[in-house]
Amino acid sequence: MKRFFLLIFVFELMGFLCAREKLPYAISGMVNENEEGLSEQKKMELSFDNLSKKEISSFTTVMFVFDQEGNSVLKNKNSLVLKFEERVLPGENLTVSVLLDSYVYDTEDEYYEIEYLYVSIIEYCDGSYWYDPFGLKRF
């Protein structure tokens, strides 16, 4: 009986350690006003860090975008999924800007908040992939 409980403890410990694997990336995002000409556009800036030891050929982000009252501002979607086909060397940071006008409702709201931002797929230059389709490894 003691062996049984010891075996269960070992499996639980291994599961915990595997679940807490280090993420191969760090990401953050912020929405700003982009004043070009006479129009004001919403622009999102994402900062992506490659924390792995492999070169990245592309990565896909998932995020939720809300207004000041906590309502989604995305057209016909709950989340915004964007794929970036950018090479990112190990240890390198990449900052990308995305105009949000085609993804959000026309609104006078000046404040947008990005929540639950994560990377769902990373494709490496060697042909391998890293997956987290639901953002569960983020925590």
Side-chain angles (χ1 to χ4, degrees):
M1 190 66 152
K2 289 181 182 179
R3 283 186 180 174
F4 177 73
F5 286 116
L6 180 61
L7 187 61
I8 289 175
F9 174 76
V10 169
F11 281 124
E12 289 293 326
L13 181 62
M14 288 174 53
F16 175 77
L17 293 175
C18 290
R20 296 294 305 160
E21 73 178 84
K22 184 178 174 188
L23 289 176
Y25 72 90
I27 192 165
S28 62
M30 186 170 57
V31 178
N32 299 315
E33 290 287 331
N34 183 28
E35 297 179 16
E36 290 187 12
L38 299 175
S39 66
E40 290 183 8
Q41 301 171 317
K42 297 288 186 193
K43 178 178 75 168
M44 175 180 55
E45 288 194 7
L46 292 176
S47 178
F48 176 85
D49 291 300
N50 180 0
L51 302 180
S52 73
K53 295 182 180 181
K54 298 191 245 179
E55 184 177 356
I56 293 173
S57 61
S58 70
F59 61 96
T60 302
T61 63
V62 180
M63 70 201 75
F64 297 86
V65 184
F66 298 97
D67 64 11
Q68 205 162 351
E69 284 90 39
N71 301 315
S72 177
V73 296
L74 299 173
K75 296 178 184 176
N76 305 321
K77 300 179 186 180
N78 288 332
S79 61
L80 180 58
V81 179
L82 299 172
K83 182 174 183 177
F84 298 96
E85 306 239 356
E86 302 277 346
R87 288 192 176 268
V88 187
L89 296 172
E92 187 177 61
N93 173 275
L94 173 72
T95 301
V96 291
S97 295
V98 178
L99 290 177
L100 290 176
D101 291 351
S102 60
Y103 302 109
V104 299
Y105 292 112
D106 291 331
T107 167
E108 299 296 320
D109 207 350
E110 294 182 12
Y111 175 83
Y112 287 170
E113 183 174 326
I114 298 172
E115 288 190 10
Y116 204 65
L117 170 63
Y118 65 94
V119 175
S120 61
I121 301 171
I122 296 175
E123 182 177 352
Y124 295 101
C125 291
D126 66 3
S128 63
Y129 291 87
W130 178 88
Y131 296 99
D132 184 15
F134 304 110
L136 300 177
K137 296 178 184 176
R138 179 176 167 261
F139 296 104

